[in-house]
Amino acid sequence: MTLEEAPMSIRKPLERIIARPASDGAGVKLLRVFGGAQPERFDPFLMLDEFGSAEASDYIGGFPPHPHRGFETITYMLRGKMEHRDHMGNVGLLQDGDVQWMTAGRGVIHSEMPRQTEGQMRGFQVWLNLPASSKMTPAHYEDVPGAKLPVYQVPGARITAIAGTAQVAGETLSGYFERPDTLPLYWDVHLQAGAELTLPLPEGFTVLVYAYEGVLDLAETQLKRQQLLRLGGEGDLVVANRSGEEARFLVLAGKPLKEPIVQYGPFVMNTHEEIEQALTDYRNGTLTAA
């Protein structure tokens, strides 16, 4: 048997998670897809939230000034207007399709506030861990208009590649962002009815698929809206849409850091002592000091 004739290995399911209602910031209603208990399961990712409502009362309170240390946040707006401000004087407005990648590093104090009083606001926020060697790096922002994000049309699918590189149907697809250490892949995939997508990913990577519209079939599992599947570390990711309408989902993949994870609210470090130091620095007003 030649290599080309060898049967394809498909990643196996490890865990299906149903997103649960939660509240954060100043009463913003959202769905906590994962985050909190046993974070090692999702390494290098720490959290995924979906926020979305047409009721202004669900989001109008926003996220007033708050601190972070030790990780990165990726905010992807499907719809709506959200303004970001930080202690460094940065101001940015995220609108339909825009992405913000924030490296909190040593420390950032920022706010995320709606700039609309009616209409739908919908999007996602991912928390991505930083290795111990980079947790105290200076804070950094990059706001990217949706028009600058790479969008690919492949057989049966439309892919917005926020981060990471992989091959689909013999074509190399590269996202806007690339990151060392964790090598994250973050794609928004719109899969046509009756289509199938095969995505080879490196062995040992954490792979997560979150369905946010429609129904998917993958790894012997049917994944419905607002459900996430965590997959094993070997084989290709194969996702099929056997329904009669388009399905939409996020793919998150990354190289695990395999370091201790200690989280206390907005701080994610490697030891309890580092968490205590972050709290002390925040109380003393030195969290963001160079």
Side-chain angles (χ1 to χ4, degrees), residues 84-92 140-141:
H84 295 243
R85 292 177 177 266
D86 69 23
H87 73 279
M88 299 175 286
N90 296 314
V91 181
H140 174 72
Y141 275 95

Side-chain angles (χ1 to χ4, degrees), residues 125-149:
Q125 187 169 92
V126 172
W127 287 15
L128 175 66
N129 205 2
L130 284 168
S133 59
S134 300
K135 283 189 176 293
M136 298 297 279
T137 194
H140 174 72
Y141 275 95
E142 186 170 359
D143 291 339
V144 181
K148 289 189 176 182
L149 294 173

Side-chain angles (χ1 to χ4, degrees), residues 1-210:
M1 181 181 293
T2 66
L3 181 61
E4 290 75 18
E5 294 171 337
M8 179 177 61
S9 172
I10 298 176
R11 289 195 181 232
K12 302 300 182 183
L14 295 179
E15 178 182 17
R16 178 165 50 185
I17 296 170
I18 299 173
R20 62 190 188 279
S23 178
D24 210 335
V28 176
K29 293 182 180 179
L30 50 81
L31 290 170
R32 178 69 37 87
V33 183
F34 69 85
Q38 297 179 304
E40 296 81 7
R41 291 178 294 161
F42 309 101
D43 184 13
F45 303 100
L46 298 163
M47 189 186 79
L48 170 61
D49 282 347
E50 177 181 354
F51 53 91
S53 178
E55 297 294 330
S57 59
D58 289 344
Y59 60 72
I60 200 65
F63 303 87
H66 57 280
H68 292 297
R69 173 179 281 181
F71 60 99
E72 301 184 284
T73 68
I74 306 108
T75 305
Y76 176 32
M77 294 292 295
L78 294 179
R79 194 170 295 110
K81 294 180 174 64
M82 183 84 78
E83 182 185 78
H84 295 243
R85 292 177 177 266
D86 69 23
H87 73 279
M88 299 175 286
N90 296 314
V91 181
L93 181 65
L94 293 184
Q95 303 185 73
D96 295 6
D98 295 351
V99 170
Q100 181 195 78
W101 196 297
M102 182 187 81
T103 302
R106 174 184 172 82
V108 68
I109 298 174
H110 76 152
S111 63
E112 303 156 287
M113 301 299 293
R115 284 297 170 258
Q116 62 187 64
T117 56
E118 61 182 11
Q120 188 179 47
M121 177 173 286
R122 191 179 189 192
F124 307 95
Q125 187 169 92
V126 172
W127 287 15
L128 175 66
N129 205 2
L130 284 168
S133 59
S134 300
K135 283 189 176 293
M136 298 297 279
T137 194
H140 174 72
Y141 275 95
E142 186 170 359
D143 291 339
V144 181
K148 289 189 176 182
L149 294 173
V151 178
Y152 299 92
Q153 298 286 346
V154 300
R158 178 179 183 271
I159 299 172
T160 300
I162 297 169
T165 298
Q167 284 208 337
V168 176
E171 181 181 359
T172 299
L173 279 53
S174 295
Y176 184 92
F177 293 95
E178 297 285 347
R179 281 294 188 271
D181 301 310
T182 53
L183 304 175
L185 182 138
Y186 184 1
W187 288 2
D188 178 12
V189 182
H190 296 190
L191 191 61
Q192 296 173 9
E196 182 175 285
L197 180 74
T198 298
L199 182 58
L201 292 166
E203 184 175 338
F205 269 38
T206 295
V207 178
L208 310 168
V209 175
Y210 179 63

Side-chain angles (χ1 to χ4, degrees), residues 204-245:
F205 269 38
T206 295
V207 178
L208 310 168
V209 175
Y210 179 63
Y212 68 93
E213 294 290 346
V215 179
L216 305 170
D217 285 277
L218 68 159
E220 306 166 356
T221 304
Q222 187 175 80
L223 201 64
K224 298 181 180 179
R225 185 171 179 264
Q226 298 176 356
Q227 294 183 355
L228 176 134
L229 191 66
R230 182 169 67 93
L231 296 116
E234 297 181 359
D236 292 345
L237 174 64
V238 180
V239 185
N241 178 4
R242 299 193 176 103
S243 73
E245 56 187 33

